[in-house]
Amino acid sequence: MKNIFKGSLRGFICEDCLESISDVEILLYHPYRKETVAANANLKETFRFVSKEEVKQREQLLITRKKTDENGNFEIELDERFVVGDYDIDFVCGTVPFKFPKPKRDEIIQFHLTSISMQSELEKQEKDQNYRWRYTIAHKWWCYIRGHFFDAWTICGHLMNCETNTPIANAEVIAMDADLLTDDTLGTATTDSHGHFRIDYSSADFKKTFLSPWFNIETDPSFLSFKSGPDVYFKAELGGTKLVKETKVNARKNVGYCLCVTLCSEVKVTDPGVSFPSAWAGIGSQFTASYGLGPNAFDAEGFAGLGKHVLHKTIRMTGQAALRSPLGNPIEYRFRVSEVTALNNTPPLDKDNFNIIVGKTDNSLFVPSTVSKLSRKVPVFYLDDIFVDSAQSDFDPEGWFDVNHAIERTLIANGLTLADLDLYNVIEEDTLISINTAELTNAPNVPDLFSAGQPIPAANDILIEKFAIRFEIREVIDKAANSFGIIGGDGKTLNSIVMNNNPIYRKLAIKELEESTLCSPIKGTINAKYTLYHPYLASGSLHLNNNSYTINRYISDGVIDSALLKRIKDNSPLNAPPNNNLTRCTYTLKLASSTRKHNGDVDDSDGSPALEQLFFYDENQP
């Protein structure tokens, strides 16, 4: 009967990142020291580096050596003489996964693992044919061996959803090193079904400079200290959707040979059949759909954020909505609008006030937008990523939106069937519905009747317009039988949102040109005339420069720089002392302005470009 000792050698990189140590030599020795290791000894405490001197001293004690296979396994056939007794087990590390170059040092890298009772191990194998003696090198030692001797650096991590803690598969993760000069890419990896990824790199990947490969060094952005490890931050995306967007500000400073991370993404990536909490969370990317003191919340009066913005143009209702309930029933949602409003710090308005429904065919409030994305679980380089855009046909007569219908319609449009949905993960695109606010507001614009410097009568003031918005969501149990279930988040309401779609009223002129002709040279004191008005005016400025920019200044006249919503003057001197230094040249006077209008994603561009008035100044003209 053959006596075969079966073993396996592995190493920890992280607690949940374990690798087989392949293609290394396992050495079996007679005991080097007379004392034996207790059966219950901590294997971590027996592990140690074996010096050259010790290797030489133990030459006569060596029984045999075997190489590990790709799984770190080995088998040693033993003569009957070696069945009874305690033996030392070492290993010689000539390489590490994944085949990094051998050390440049002209030395054998040998480590003592532990001592074992061979008879006890063989008895265990005889009782269980699947039993194998296993040794796992602690992460502290294994990372040191990999990095110190082989310049092998490793990142092991997971990519999860922040809220549900579910793994995100098939995403590309990019590890970056933050440098003073240029950030280096350490490597990329694709997450598996458990959201796990691994990136292997060497110091050459983070010591690059503009002189590489002739001169490499790690350039630490802090400038105050030099450390050998990289400063690591991450980016991740799936099907073109950004899941993780860290910058060098988020960098983990001077990491060691092994880095273990868990990244989380706010973006919802789920299997089509998975349910999760649904909610209306915000308007665009900048504002939360709630009242509060936070920098992105609405105040009691309905102004958004710290800048007291008002909403205009197309706004995105953002949040998340599952395709199906926990019971597997479809989910529908809708938005309703009320012209009756209340303070946001008071109880939600009664639902009967909300008689305007987004998506009903009798209004144009609905704007198509991307509400979801389908990303193939196993890419085939054809229809791997499909964008799902909302359409009017996805609403029922009462304005209930069915994202399942939108997905089915999109699959069919791409030559697929509903059954193919199982091949995809669903990526929530944050947008629930987009609303055209211009269909709600109706305050008339200031009529184009007033010249620069002419007052605007109070009768032409633009009045404030407020609206309330309510989010409703339901589980469809049996639509034909009018049977619906209640979903959390139903009834979420903002009592007041200020909206405005009126343009800035602005006029600009040079008084002396109006008194002559627009082409005549002018001299003496030059006066600007302007009218600037909007109920939510944020800024206004007058700027003067000549062609050579030797004159280049803002004009301050006590009106244009004030907080007034109507900024009107018919006699604003441009070259009054001490600025009476105009010389013979062509000049440009600009009236710039902006409002507090915002669509939830970007600031208002109203007032751009600035109004301009050219004039030629010549003090020596007749």
Side-chain angles (χ1 to χ4, degrees):
M1 175 179 170
K2 291 183 179 180
N3 298 299
I4 299 177
F5 171 55
K6 299 177 183 179
S8 178
L9 183 61
R10 301 175 298 176
F12 272 121
I13 291 176
C14 303
E15 287 186 7
D16 57 353
C17 193
L18 183 66
E19 68 180 1
S20 300
I21 302 177
S22 60
D23 202 29
V24 299
E25 284 191 318
I26 301 296
L27 283 66
L28 187 65
Y29 285 94
H30 288 292
Y32 176 50
R33 296 187 177 90
K34 293 194 183 227
E35 63 270 18
T36 59
V37 177
N40 61 351
N42 189 333
L43 298 185
K44 294 179 182 178
E45 296 175 359
T46 65
F47 189 92
R48 59 181 171 79
F49 178 76
V50 178
S51 66
K52 290 181 182 179
E53 292 74 18
E54 183 179 336
V55 171
K56 190 168 184 62
Q57 292 169 5
R58 295 169 65 195
E59 282 181 349
Q60 301 303 315
L61 300 176
L62 180 64
I63 298 172
T64 189
R65 60 178 72 210
K66 274 285 186 181
K67 272 201 172 183
T68 58
D69 63 16
E70 61 182 7
N71 297 315
N73 296 330
F74 63 90
E75 295 185 1
I76 299 176
E77 187 172 346
L78 297 169
D79 188 277
E80 286 292 337
R81 294 174 297 162
F82 306 121
V83 169
V84 178
D86 296 324
Y87 296 91
D88 289 345
I89 300 181
D90 290 17
F91 86 104
V92 174
C93 194
T95 184
V96 295
F98 294 93
K99 306 301 183 198
F100 278 87
K102 292 184 178 181
K104 294 180 180 179
R105 302 172 178 81
D106 184 20
E107 62 179 307
I108 295 174
I109 304 172
Q110 183 168 329
F111 294 87
H112 174 65
L113 298 177
T114 190
S115 297
I116 63 167
S117 168
M118 187 59 70
Q119 185 175 7
S120 174
E121 290 299 322
L122 293 177
E123 287 175 354
K124 292 176 184 177
Q125 291 181 184
E126 186 177 352
K127 293 179 181 178
D128 182 359
Q129 294 298 312
N130 295 318
Y131 173 79
R132 183 179 290 273
W133 175 81
R134 300 182 187 279
Y135 190 96
T136 303
I137 302 174
H139 121 279
K140 177 178 70 174
W141 266 109
W142 185 233
C143 288
Y144 171 78
I145 294 169
R146 291 173 51 83
H148 180 74
F149 293 105
F150 296 90
D151 191 27
W153 301 63
T154 302
I155 299 169
C156 271
H158 287 87
L159 177 60
M160 317 294 284
N161 176 267
C162 299
E163 182 179 338
T164 64
N165 203 37
T166 54
I168 300 175
N170 301 317
E172 182 184 48
V173 178
I174 304 169
M176 303 291 296
D177 170 40
D179 267 349
L180 177 67
L181 303 176
T182 306
D183 291 358
D184 305 315
T185 300
L186 299 177
T188 63
T190 300
T191 57
D192 63 17
S193 60
H194 303 289
H196 182 265
F197 65 91
R198 171 173 171 161
I199 295 173
D200 290 276
Y201 61 103
S202 70
S203 62
D205 294 310
F206 61 85
K207 291 182 178 178
K208 298 171 185 174
T209 72
F210 64 96
L211 294 176
S212 295
W214 302 282
F215 180 73
N216 295 325
I217 191 170
E218 172 69 349
T219 52
D220 194 314
S222 71
F223 231 0
L224 299 176
S225 62
F226 178 82
K227 300 291 183 180
S228 59
D231 299 336
V232 182
Y233 66 95
F234 295 91
K235 298 182 182 298
E237 66 175 55
L238 178 61
T241 298
K242 304 295 183 184
L243 303 180
V244 176
K245 296 179 285 187
E246 292 185 350
T247 66
K248 60 177 61 184
V249 175
N250 310 112
R252 299 143 186 86
K253 300 292 185 181
N254 300 303
V255 305
Y257 296 127
C258 297
L259 173 62
C260 310
V261 296
T262 297
L263 306 176
C264 93
S265 172
E266 301 284 351
V267 178
K268 195 75 71 177
V269 181
T270 61
D271 190 274
V274 174
S275 183
F276 52 83
S278 302
W280 171 35
I283 296 179
S285 59
Q286 299 298 308
F287 306 127
T288 59
S290 59
Y291 160 75
L293 300 177
N296 303 316
F298 283 79
D299 67 12
E301 296 290 340
F303 294 99
L306 293 178
K308 289 191 170 295
H309 295 285
V310 299
L311 300 185
H312 79 139
K313 294 185 177 177
T314 298
I315 58 176
R316 297 186 305 115
M317 303 292 101
T318 57
Q320 61 186 36
L323 301 184
R324 298 189 176 275
S325 70
L327 296 177
N329 296 318
I331 287 177
E332 296 178 335
Y333 58 84
R334 68 178 179 179
F335 285 89
R336 298 166 67 193
V337 180
S338 168
E339 293 176 323
V340 176
T341 64
L343 295 176
N344 281 322
N345 58 354
T346 59
L349 288 164
D350 188 272
K351 63 181 180 180
D352 291 340
N353 290 299
F354 296 84
N355 56 358
I356 304 171
I357 303 176
V358 180
K360 287 193 70 170
T361 55
D362 59 354
N363 63 56
S364 302
L365 285 175
F366 164 68
V367 179
S369 54
T370 300
V371 294
S372 191
K373 184 192 294 183
L374 307 181
S375 180
R376 254 188 205 273
K377 298 174 182 176
V378 181
V380 295
F381 305 105
Y382 174 70
L383 295 178
D384 287 343
D385 299 297
I386 303 175
F387 289 90
V388 179
D389 293 339
S390 55
Q392 186 64 57
S393 61
D394 301 323
F395 294 85
D396 73 5
E398 294 303 315
W400 288 99
F401 178 76
D402 184 355
V403 70
N404 297 280
H405 182 276
I407 290 174
E408 182 176 0
R409 173 178 50 78
T410 303
L411 287 171
I412 293 172
N414 283 277
L416 302 171
T417 67
L418 186 57
D420 292 315
L421 182 58
D422 289 336
L423 303 175
Y424 290 85
N425 280 319
V426 179
I427 302 176
E428 292 296 314
E429 282 293 289
D430 204 29
T431 303
L432 296 169
I433 290 295
S434 292
I435 299 176
N436 178 16
T437 64
E439 287 295 316
L440 293 172
T441 58
N442 54 26
N445 298 332
V446 176
D448 193 13
L449 302 175
F450 311 105
S451 302
Q454 183 178 354
I456 298 174
N460 295 115
D461 285 354
I462 298 171
L463 301 179
I464 187 171
E465 293 185 277
K466 294 184 180 184
F467 302 88
I469 295 181
R470 174 184 170 91
F471 174 67
E472 298 175 340
I473 188 167
R474 67 186 185 184
E475 174 188 13
V476 181
I477 299 172
D478 186 342
K479 198 160 189 174
N482 203 31
S483 176
F484 303 101
I486 298 173
I487 296 291
D490 178 54
K492 174 68 177 291
T493 301
L494 266 176
N495 284 344
S496 185
I497 300 174
V498 183
M499 298 184 186
N500 179 273
N501 285 285
N502 299 98
I504 297 176
Y505 190 86
R506 52 185 190 156
K507 297 288 182 177
L508 176 66
I510 300 295
K511 180 179 180 180
E512 286 68 31
L513 286 180
E514 287 187 333
E515 293 174 352
S516 56
T517 68
L518 293 179
C519 296
S520 302
I522 53 179
K523 65 178 182 178
T525 301
I526 309 301
N527 293 279
K529 299 170 63 177
Y530 58 83
T531 296
L532 184 61
Y533 166 65
H534 193 274
Y536 308 109
L537 198 62
S539 67
S541 63
L542 273 179
H543 183 271
L544 178 69
N545 67 268
N546 60 11
N547 281 357
S548 61
Y549 281 90
T550 56
I551 303 293
N552 185 27
R553 61 176 179 252
Y554 284 94
I555 306 300
S556 178
D557 65 359
V559 176
I560 196 69
D561 295 327
S562 75
L564 298 175
L565 301 179
K566 290 182 179 179
R567 303 180 182 182
I568 300 168
K569 194 163 186 179
D570 64 358
N571 190 30
S572 180
L574 304 181
N575 59 337
N579 294 315
N580 54 337
N581 58 344
L582 298 191
T583 59
R584 186 174 184 271
C585 196
T586 299
Y587 290 81
T588 302
L589 180 66
K590 296 179 181 178
L591 175 63
S593 56
S594 67
T595 70
R596 304 199 319 263
K597 290 185 290 186
H598 203 294
N599 71 355
D601 290 302
V602 294
D603 282 321
D604 169 40
S605 61
D606 199 359
S608 179
L611 284 182
E612 293 188 3
Q613 177 66 65
L614 300 177
F615 65 91
F616 184 76
Y617 183 84
D618 185 1
E619 187 64 47
N620 298 320
Q621 65 167 315

